């Protein structure tokens, strides 16, 4: 793992809220706004942007934790700016704070954790599950 980032470093990406980002339970649309579980996916992606540059060819990141405080709605068609900020890197674990904004409006804030592991270690872990 390349240790190329430090606390305070930021990565961002933009996403337009789509219909498939809405909360749909048992085939029924609940609201035409970005769901908390869609935010979770995008929170993880925003912090993973660091790992894409940090990982060696024989490594892969895995999530260790996720927290989200959903503050206000993001409607279908709106553009969300996700910004991940490195809080700390301890050994092979990256902790980031995340903000999601539509314009000047906070949509959500939270935190992610990801660990960098050797791909072979992951194969062994996942293979042992298949044997059960």
């Amino acid at each position: 793992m390349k240790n190329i980032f430090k606390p305070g470093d930021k990565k961002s990406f933009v996403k337009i809220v789509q219909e498939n980002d809405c909360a749909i339970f048992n085939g029924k649309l609940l609201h035409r706004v970005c769901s908390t579980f869609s935010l979770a996916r995008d929170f993880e992606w925003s912090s993973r942007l660091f790992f894409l540059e940090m990982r060696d060819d024989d490594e892969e990141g895995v999530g260790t934790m996720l927290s989200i405080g959903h503050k206000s709605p993001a409607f279908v068609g709106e553009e969300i700016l996700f910004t991940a900020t490195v809080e700390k890197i301890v050994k092979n674990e990256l902790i980031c704070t995340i903000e999601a904004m539509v314009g000047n409006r906070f949509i959500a804030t939270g935190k992610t954790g990801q660990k960098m592991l050797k791909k072979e270690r992951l194969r062994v872990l996942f293979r042992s599950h298949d044997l059960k």
Side-chain angles (χ1 to χ4, degrees), residues 15-26:
K15 169 154 186 179
I16 305 292
V17 179
Q18 305 292 317
E19 292 288 340
N20 63 348
D21 295 315
C22 297
I24 300 171
F25 295 102
N26 297 317

Side-chain angles (χ1 to χ4, degrees), residues 56-91:
D56 292 326
D57 289 341
D58 66 338
E59 296 176 316
E60 188 56 76
V62 294
T64 59
M65 67 93 167
L66 171 68
S67 68
I68 297 175
H70 201 158
K71 309 292 184 190
S72 67
F75 298 93
V76 171
E78 287 189 312
E79 184 177 278
I80 303 176
L81 172 64
F82 292 89
T83 303
T85 303
V86 174
E87 181 178 294
K88 61 185 173 182
I89 301 172
V90 179
K91 296 183 183 175

Side-chain angles (χ1 to χ4, degrees), residues 74-115:
F75 298 93
V76 171
E78 287 189 312
E79 184 177 278
I80 303 176
L81 172 64
F82 292 89
T83 303
T85 303
V86 174
E87 181 178 294
K88 61 185 173 182
I89 301 172
V90 179
K91 296 183 183 175
N92 63 329
E93 186 170 23
L94 169 70
I95 305 295
C96 289
T97 57
I98 315 290
E99 293 180 348
M101 306 277 298
V102 170
N104 294 333
R105 182 168 38 98
F106 272 102
I107 301 305
T109 58
K111 192 178 279 197
T112 61
Q114 294 188 46
K115 280 190 177 180

